[in-house]
Amino acid sequence: MITIQAYNFKQAQAKRSELCQLLIDSVAQGASIGFLPPLNSADATSYWQAIISDLQAEQRVLLVALDADQIVGSVQLDLPSKANASHRAEVQKLLVHSQFQRRGIAQQLMHELEAVAQTHGRWLLVLDTRQGDKAESLYRKLGYHEAGVIPNFASSADGETHATILFYRELAH
């Protein structure tokens, strides 16, 4: 059974190697999340150290999907600290390990993320995803609205560029 849990910085630090493996697997599977394959351990570790620092500063929420105590997915909620942004947050890096995809884990993570956002007083969520990715249909299914498309936003490993779609969702507040 998959459970969703919010990790604090100590928990994330203790599970950093699993988080790195999740990121490496996602990049290897073609996820457009800011990295190009092959992602090495040093770069993955550096990325997660920065995220752990944000967790410690309470500028970010990290949710993980667990199968027993193994991390099989994650998603982040970036909490802007500017005075005019206290009602919104950005959804970042929705990841599900390739061996656990197509089981509804991404949807579980997103539902829990929305509940967590509301507990932080955040009712406007924004995100972006590569146009045509499977995540695009998930976000639409979950009630996210397309705000626009930016052409040639991200490069892939073969040098081709891809558009990204900006989405938003207003939660009850």
Side-chain angles (χ1 to χ4, degrees):
M1 182 168 114
I2 301 297
T3 58
I4 309 296
Q5 182 179 342
Y7 266 21
N8 64 33
F9 74 97
K10 288 180 181 178
Q11 291 167 305
Q13 185 69 36
K15 293 284 199 162
R16 188 180 66 198
S17 64
E18 281 187 49
L19 291 165
C20 287
Q21 288 308 310
L22 175 63
L23 182 63
I24 290 167
D25 174 75
S26 295
V27 171
Q29 297 301 316
S32 180
I33 51 176
F35 301 95
L36 294 176
L39 179 61
N40 64 49
S41 291
D43 289 342
T45 299
S46 177
Y47 169 76
W48 281 110
Q49 273 310 120
I51 297 306
I52 290 166
S53 293
D54 286 352
L55 292 173
Q56 190 167 16
E58 297 183 358
Q59 297 173 329
R60 180 175 306 271
V61 174
L62 172 64
L63 297 180
V64 296
L66 300 164
D67 181 25
D69 71 342
Q70 177 191 359
I71 295 175
V72 299
S74 70
V75 67
Q76 300 167 40
L77 188 66
D78 182 51
L79 304 168
S81 60
K82 293 182 175 82
N84 73 343
S86 63
H87 65 290
R88 65 179 158 87
E90 183 177 350
V91 177
Q92 297 180 348
K93 306 280 190 285
L94 176 61
L95 311 173
V96 176
H97 194 281
S98 59
Q99 295 178 347
F100 288 84
Q101 291 181 0
R102 313 286 314 155
R103 299 183 192 184
I105 296 170
Q107 190 167 340
Q108 277 183 266
L109 282 163
M110 288 300 293
H111 285 307
E112 185 63 26
L113 184 90
E114 290 171 1
V116 167
Q118 289 177 306
T119 67
H120 285 272
R122 310 301 172 117
W123 51 266
L124 177 63
L125 299 182
V126 296
L127 60 85
D128 68 88
T129 191
R130 182 174 50 200
Q131 190 173 43
D133 272 2
K134 54 189 164 191
E136 178 184 349
S137 61
L138 171 68
Y139 297 135
R140 290 183 193 282
K141 177 181 172 185
L142 294 174
Y144 285 77
H145 304 283
E146 182 178 323
V149 177
I150 303 172
N152 300 309
F153 186 79
S155 295
S156 58
D158 64 6
E160 186 177 345
T161 58
H162 303 271
T164 195
I165 302 177
L166 304 175
F167 284 102
Y168 71 93
R169 178 153 190 231
E170 292 180 289
L171 306 174
H173 62 282

